[in-house]
Amino acid sequence: VEEGNEALAAGEPGAAIAAYESAAESIPESAGLNYDRGLALSDLGRHDEATQMLLRSLDTRDANLKADVLAALGLAYGRWGQHIERTGVEPGEQPAPEGPGVSTESANAAEAALPKWERSVEHLEDALAVRPADLEVLRNLEVALLRVDPPCASRDDELEPNDAPGAPHLIDMSAV
């Protein structure tokens, strides 16, 4: 486990996974080991495996570890959401075909990523309930919330003609 922690701290998640898997063969499964494995898997971009491992590590009585796991789950789901936004596909899926007549819209990717961002918000809020002053969790929560509920100015809302900077006018409320 120590070897894995050193490799993870050195930015070598592949070596960390190998060390953690070796440790898992000789010691019983534990929340701490699953947490370490989840962190390394997340760093490798193996999002589904990472979140599953981190979810398994939630079964702990150690309050500090539980807060760490909740924060890591929020981060892992956020990374998964970012991956979907960037590529438009889940890890392991084939990208959509490109070429004439085929369009890949970023709105579809953002929509596909939304459930991951919502899970990120859930776990980050739970982590903040335990550690309200954790600045890293607060920052990650802010990013996740902006994905879940973007500001009005960035939305393409055909029902709100009042959102362009040059076109503000009073909205007729008598029709409502």
Side-chain angles (χ1 to χ4, degrees):
V1 173
E2 290 298 321
E3 183 181 315
N5 291 343
E6 289 172 11
L8 192 58
E12 300 171 4
I17 284 291
Y20 294 142
E21 295 301 326
S22 175
E25 292 173 6
S26 59
I27 61 174
E29 186 171 316
S30 70
L33 180 57
N34 288 340
Y35 167 72
D36 292 335
R37 291 160 75 186
L39 291 177
L41 288 164
S42 181
D43 284 354
L44 286 172
R46 293 166 54 184
H47 307 295
D48 188 33
E49 293 173 84
T51 55
Q52 293 306 313
M53 192 63 64
L54 289 166
L55 287 168
R56 285 171 45 187
S57 67
L58 275 176
D59 188 23
T60 181
R61 294 181 187 178
D62 181 341
N64 284 328
L65 177 58
K66 193 166 201 156
D68 289 342
V69 171
L70 289 166
L73 271 164
L75 180 61
Y77 276 111
R79 285 177 172 173
W80 198 348
Q82 280 183 320
H83 174 84
I84 294 170
E85 287 175 349
R86 275 195 316 271
T87 64
V89 296
E90 293 273 349
E93 288 183 3
Q94 295 298 319
E98 294 182 23
V102 177
S103 67
T104 56
E105 295 187 26
S106 63
N108 290 341
E111 188 175 309
L114 186 60
K116 305 306 179 201
W117 286 112
E118 289 170 341
R119 293 294 306 267
S120 178
V121 168
E122 279 178 42
H123 292 296
L124 292 168
E125 286 176 338
D126 290 346
L128 279 177
V130 178
R131 290 190 199 139
D134 190 324
L135 296 179
E136 184 177 347
V137 173
L138 280 167
R139 185 174 43 255
N140 290 338
L141 178 59
E142 182 178 7
V143 170
L145 284 170
L146 285 171
R147 294 303 208 299
V148 170
D149 189 21
C152 292
S154 68
R155 297 180 189 184
D156 184 19
D157 186 359
E158 64 190 41
L159 300 175
E160 187 182 342
N162 212 23
D163 61 1
H169 60 277
L170 289 175
I171 298 174
D172 182 12
M173 298 302 287
S174 63
V176 180

